[in-house]
Amino acid sequence: MPESELPSASPAFDSPGEVAKRLSEVNYLAESDIATTVFLAERLGKPLLVEGPAGVGKTELAKAVAAATDADLIRLQCYEGLDEARALYEWNYSKQLLRIQAAGSDATWEKTHDDIFTDEFLLARPLLRAIRRDDPTVLLIDETDKADIEIEGLLLEVLSDFQITIPELGTVQAARRPFVVLTSNATRELSEALKRRCLYLHLDYPTRERERDIVVARVPGIEATLVDQLVEVVATLRTLELKKVPSIAETVDWARTLLALGTSTMDESAIRSTLGVVLKHQSDQLRAAKELGLPCAGR
């Protein structure tokens, strides 16, 4: 079934403004370009490729879209060595063997073959599970750039026609198109063929003002002055040559840490005692300590 002939569903959003509003209701504050791209991806039925450095909210965007649309989130975490069996499906060989043994020596191979290559013995992995679902679904293909380039060929079939071919069973066509989000940290270039099938969105670290809004939304009860100080310190840390730059999620974690400790100001003592919340390498802590004028940080 061509993509255009997939069963239609009611649009999840009426406008980019509604996207921004509903994402904000699940504590994801979306700039206008984010809201517009999400709206177009959903309305046009296109996968959304979100690229940017680690920790800028790419994965969180997919989670927020799922929450805002009451959809189930199915996640394929990519990594080097990921193969079709882990991404798509594999057969339950142990269960098939038991069925063959139970059939006895009298059973013909044709009959046994038809018995063991059925849904009962199929272990569906994320891509197949997302394709087969009738309910609203967000398919998150996370850190696509970490997978081997061969996996992109599999993704091309899924994202072109929203169908998967299983030699023993035939072609499985999507009953309902999932909302697909691919994320990439740009550690390698994705193929042009894959990019052509997607809408593209680049995310970067937020401005101080936007990150302040995010912290306030995610950490109720935190004082405004403390948030301002926190955001300034994080912005300073991101200018340094660190092994791992603090993510937005770690900024939020730091805010929750300070709130839990009853800290009212980002003084030297507060920063030094909690720096491990955002910097996870000693070399990064030492570099930050020097920049911020903190003695003995990271020890």
Side-chain angles (χ1 to χ4, degrees):
M1 183 185 299
E3 181 180 336
S4 61
E5 295 180 13
L6 284 174
S8 60
S10 300
F13 305 106
D14 292 331
S15 66
E18 186 187 354
V19 173
K21 177 178 180 295
R22 288 171 61 182
L23 290 180
S24 70
E25 291 171 353
V26 295
N27 289 333
Y28 190 98
L29 304 184
E31 303 285 359
S32 60
D33 58 334
I34 298 175
T36 300
T37 308
V38 168
F39 170 76
L40 291 174
E42 194 277 333
R43 184 58 62 91
L44 299 176
K46 289 282 191 179
L48 174 58
L49 172 59
V50 187
E51 195 171 66
V56 296
K58 302 185 296 296
T59 299
E60 286 301 313
L61 176 59
K63 293 179 178 178
V65 171
T69 57
D70 293 322
D72 287 332
L73 179 73
I74 294 180
R75 180 175 182 172
L76 173 62
Q77 179 63 52
C78 296
Y79 54 87
E80 186 177 353
L82 176 69
D83 58 15
E84 290 190 14
R86 293 298 176 185
L88 190 52
Y89 72 91
E90 61 183 327
W91 294 103
N92 189 332
Y93 299 115
S94 298
K95 192 173 180 180
Q96 285 177 322
L97 181 59
L98 290 174
R99 175 61 65 85
I100 292 172
Q101 291 173 339
S105 58
D106 295 336
T108 64
W109 169 243
E110 289 76 12
K111 183 178 186 307
T112 302
H113 178 280
D114 292 342
D115 284 344
I116 64 175
F117 288 107
T118 62
D119 268 352
E120 180 184 353
F121 300 92
L122 189 66
L123 300 175
R125 300 309 184 194
L127 295 181
L128 181 57
R129 285 166 46 212
I131 287 294
R132 299 176 85 181
R133 283 181 53 82
D134 294 324
D135 298 325
T137 303
V138 172
L139 171 60
L140 168 61
I141 305 173
D142 213 6
E143 298 185 302
T144 310
D145 53 322
K146 288 188 176 180
D148 299 327
I149 194 169
E150 290 77 13
I151 289 296
E152 292 189 28
L154 174 64
L155 294 178
L156 288 176
E157 179 184 10
V158 175
L159 302 182
S160 295
D161 302 317
F162 288 90
Q163 66 180 30
I164 290 171
T165 300
I166 303 175
E168 297 85 355
L169 296 179
T171 300
V172 178
Q173 298 171 333
R176 175 174 183 157
R177 182 188 296 115
F179 184 94
V180 182
V181 178
L182 302 92
T183 72
S184 170
N185 295 334
T187 58
R188 73 167 177 85
E189 279 290 328
L190 300 178
S191 70
E192 291 300 323
L194 182 61
K195 287 185 174 181
R196 279 198 303 271
R197 286 157 175 79
C198 304
L199 297 186
Y200 179 82
L201 176 65
H202 183 272
L203 294 185
D204 210 335
Y205 293 105
T207 62
R208 288 173 173 80
E209 293 74 17
R210 176 56 77 182
E211 192 155 25
R212 183 189 184 283
D213 293 341
I214 293 170
V215 172
V216 169
R218 295 288 184 92
V219 190
I222 192 167
E223 295 181 7
T225 302
L226 180 60
V227 176
D228 290 339
Q229 295 172 353
L230 171 64
V231 168
E232 284 297 323
V233 172
V234 171
T236 299
L237 295 179
R238 289 184 181 143
T239 65
L240 306 179
E241 294 184 5
L242 303 177
K243 288 185 176 180
K244 185 187 179 305
V245 176
S247 67
I248 299 172
E250 286 167 327
T251 302
V252 173
D253 286 343
W254 206 0
R256 288 172 176 155
T257 298
L258 298 170
L259 186 64
L261 292 173
T263 302
S264 59
T265 184
M266 290 285 289
D267 57 21
E268 177 184 297
S269 176
I271 296 174
R272 186 175 63 248
S273 62
T274 61
L275 196 57
V277 175
V278 290
L279 299 182
K280 313 301 172 61
H281 297 275
Q282 186 181 28
S283 60
D284 286 351
Q285 292 191 2
L286 293 175
R287 185 170 285 107
K290 180 178 180 181
E291 177 69 21
L292 298 174
L294 307 177
C296 304
R299 299 185 181 180

